[in-house]
Structure formats: C-alpha cells, structure tokens
C-alpha cells in the first residue's frame, strides 16, 4: 500500500494522559499536513511541514500539542494532558509540492476518544 | 475571517439523477479550489480541483463550476450512483494574502442516493 498511513486507527485514553499519533506520508511527498475533524464538521487545519521544517501552526494548536517530522519522512502528533475536547478524528495528508499539483492525499485518520 | 461554507447540509437524490452541491467561499484571492468526498470512517478523497483562472473543469461524471463574481463553487455529479453517497467538502487554498499554503475546508454536504 503506497497511500498515507496513520497509526493507531483508534485511541481511547483517560483525561490527563498523553497520546502520540504517527503518520507515514506517501514516499517522497515533501509536504505533510495535520488536520482535526469533529463530527459533522470539515477538517480544521492544525499544522504543516515542508520536509522537516514546520512552516505554520494554527491557533488551534495549543501548548499541549506538538508535532514533529524529524527526518522529513514520517510525522508524529503528540497531545499532552488530554482533555475531553480533544476527542476528534486526527487526519494526516501529504502532497508533492514540486509537481504543482493540488491533490493532497489523506490517510484514514486516528480517532481519539478522551474519557 | 476566512471561511468556506456550504448552502445545503443534506442533499437527497434518486439514483440516475444529476446532483449539484454548492459552496460559497470568502477569500477572493484563493488560488484553487478542491472538492473532496468522504465516506464514513475514511479520510477525504480528492475528486476534482479547479484553479482560479478557470470557470469550469470536467472529470469523469463530475464537473466543477467556479463563479468568482459571487464567490461560488459547485460540484455537479452526473447519473448519481449509490456509491456516490458520502459527505462532500469544498476546500480552498489561499496563498494570498495570508502567505500560507493550506487547505481551508467547509462544513460539508451529505449526499444521499436512494433507488
């Protein structure tokens, strides 16, 4: 499978715990995005990387959230001291910006439930 | 602020009929627009895109129309099939004036196809 891969698919955690999600983009895609989606809403932008550089972070990304892409390949999104309001689907997408194409490929997402 | 919205939250059509899903956007400087399809439990899937210098673009059974005068975007699906049932999102990319390169999604329209 050469698509965007996200792990885990589902995560249930207790409030106050830390969680980490992983995204493996399509090989050689230099651009990687993280989005959050709640039920009935469109995906909300969180942050994106160009190779290993984090170029932009949304105001939604509080101090409890941190994302990394250390080698410009896979990325991790960590949420510290989770809150019930963090419950959502976390989506990752990748894109090859060098082709001029606009098509961002999304993964299946990680569904987080904070209890 | 920046926003992308949809007129109709739910659209029900009979199999074989044509479907039209509408979207309004607010940033007149957006470079391109994309339609995504999202099935339950899956990540958004690219359908078709259109650049701001175009009025119309056709794909396989889908057509996207862009009216920059009224900042309106539509997705037309010909001969709608049961497999088209999903939530459809429009998204815009606005490099200007925000000097960014991310997709901003609308709320979504649920398309229901009945026999």
């Amino acid at each position: 499978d050469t698509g965007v891969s996200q792990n885990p698919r589902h995560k249930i955690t207790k409030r106050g715990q830390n969680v980490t999600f992983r995204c493996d983009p399509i090989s050689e895609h230099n651009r990687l995005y993280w989005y959050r989606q709640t039920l009935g809403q469109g995906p909300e932008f969180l942050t994106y990387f160009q190779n290993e550089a984090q170029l932009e972070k949304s105001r939604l990304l509080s101090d409890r959230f941190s994302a990394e892409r250390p080698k410009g390949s896979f990325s991790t999104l960590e949420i510290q001291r989770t809150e019930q309001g963090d419950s959502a689907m976390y989506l990752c997408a990748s894109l090859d910006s060098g082709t001029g194409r606009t098509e961002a490929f999304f993964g299946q997402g990680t569904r987080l439930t904070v209890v | 602020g920046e926003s992308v919205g949809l007129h109709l939250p739910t659209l029900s059509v009979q199999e074989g009929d044509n479907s039209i899903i509408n979207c309004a956007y607010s940033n007149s400087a957006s470079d391109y627009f994309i339609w995504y399809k999202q099935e339950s439990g899956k990540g958004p899937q690219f359908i078709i895109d259109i650049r701001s210098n175009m009025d119309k673009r056709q794909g396989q059974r889908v057509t996207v129309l862009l009216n920059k005068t009224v900042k309106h975007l539509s997705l037309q699906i010909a001969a709608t099939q049961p497999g088209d049932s999903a939530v459809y999102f429009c998204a815009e990319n606005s490099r200007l004036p925000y000097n960014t390169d991310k997709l901003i999604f609308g709320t979504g329209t649920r398309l229901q196809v009945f026999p």
Side-chain angles (χ1 to χ4, degrees):
Chain A
D1 185 17
T2 58
V4 177
S5 176
Q6 292 188 246
N7 289 286
R9 290 292 309 277
H10 304 274
K11 178 69 177 180
I12 300 175
T13 190
K14 291 183 178 179
R15 187 174 52 188
Q17 297 295 306
N18 300 342
V19 294
T20 300
F21 311 140
R22 176 178 171 125
C23 172
D24 287 273
I26 293 174
S27 179
E28 298 178 355
H29 276 194
N30 59 347
R31 190 74 61 80
L32 187 148
Y33 297 83
W34 284 100
Y35 282 82
R36 182 175 70 185
Q37 186 176 28
T38 54
L39 193 63
Q41 300 295 317
E44 297 175 297
F45 170 78
L46 293 178
T47 187
Y48 83 94
F49 293 84
Q50 175 90 1
N51 299 310
E52 66 275 10
Q54 189 173 17
L55 297 188
E56 185 175 346
K57 293 191 292 185
S58 164
R59 292 187 298 273
L60 294 174
L61 217 64
S62 73
D63 292 343
R64 298 185 296 107
F65 288 72
S66 62
E68 295 181 344
R69 195 185 184 196
K71 299 181 180 179
S73 56
F74 73 91
S75 176
T76 57
L77 177 67
E78 181 183 16
I79 308 175
Q80 296 181 326
R81 305 180 302 282
T82 52
E83 302 173 355
Q84 286 189 321
D86 297 331
S87 295
M89 175 78 84
Y90 290 84
L91 293 163
C92 175
S94 72
L95 170 72
D96 183 355
S97 65
T99 64
R101 290 183 58 86
T102 64
E103 184 173 357
F105 293 84
F106 280 83
Q108 300 279 47
T110 294
R111 181 168 295 283
L112 173 67
T113 303
V114 182
V115 298
Chain B
E2 53 193 43
S3 67
V4 175
L6 296 174
H7 296 306
L8 298 174
T10 303
L11 178 65
S12 296
V13 299
Q14 189 166 20
E15 182 179 356
D17 286 352
N18 297 333
S19 302
I20 299 176
I21 302 172
N22 296 302
C23 175
Y25 64 94
S26 61
N27 185 2
S28 57
S30 291
D31 296 320
Y32 59 87
F33 305 85
I34 304 177
W35 282 100
Y36 278 89
K37 172 186 180 183
Q38 188 173 28
E39 297 173 288
S40 181
K42 297 184 178 180
Q45 178 185 2
F46 176 94
I47 302 174
I48 190 169
D49 64 354
I50 186 168
R51 293 199 177 270
S52 58
N53 60 354
M54 300 172 68
D55 297 324
K56 178 180 180 179
R57 190 166 187 220
Q58 287 185 295
Q60 186 176 12
R61 279 201 309 119
V62 296
T63 301
V64 56
L65 299 178
L66 176 62
N67 185 332
K68 293 182 286 293
T69 301
V70 295
K71 290 187 280 189
H72 182 268
L73 191 69
S74 69
L75 176 70
Q76 300 178 2
I77 304 174
T80 312
Q81 302 170 0
D84 295 327
S85 294
V87 177
Y88 289 80
F89 295 98
C90 66
E92 62 178 321
N93 179 287
S94 305
R95 291 192 175 91
L96 298 173
Y98 307 110
N99 193 29
T100 183
D101 199 4
K102 62 179 183 283
L103 292 175
I104 301 168
F105 284 81
T107 304
T109 292
R110 180 174 300 280
L111 176 64
Q112 296 177 328
V113 182
F114 56 93

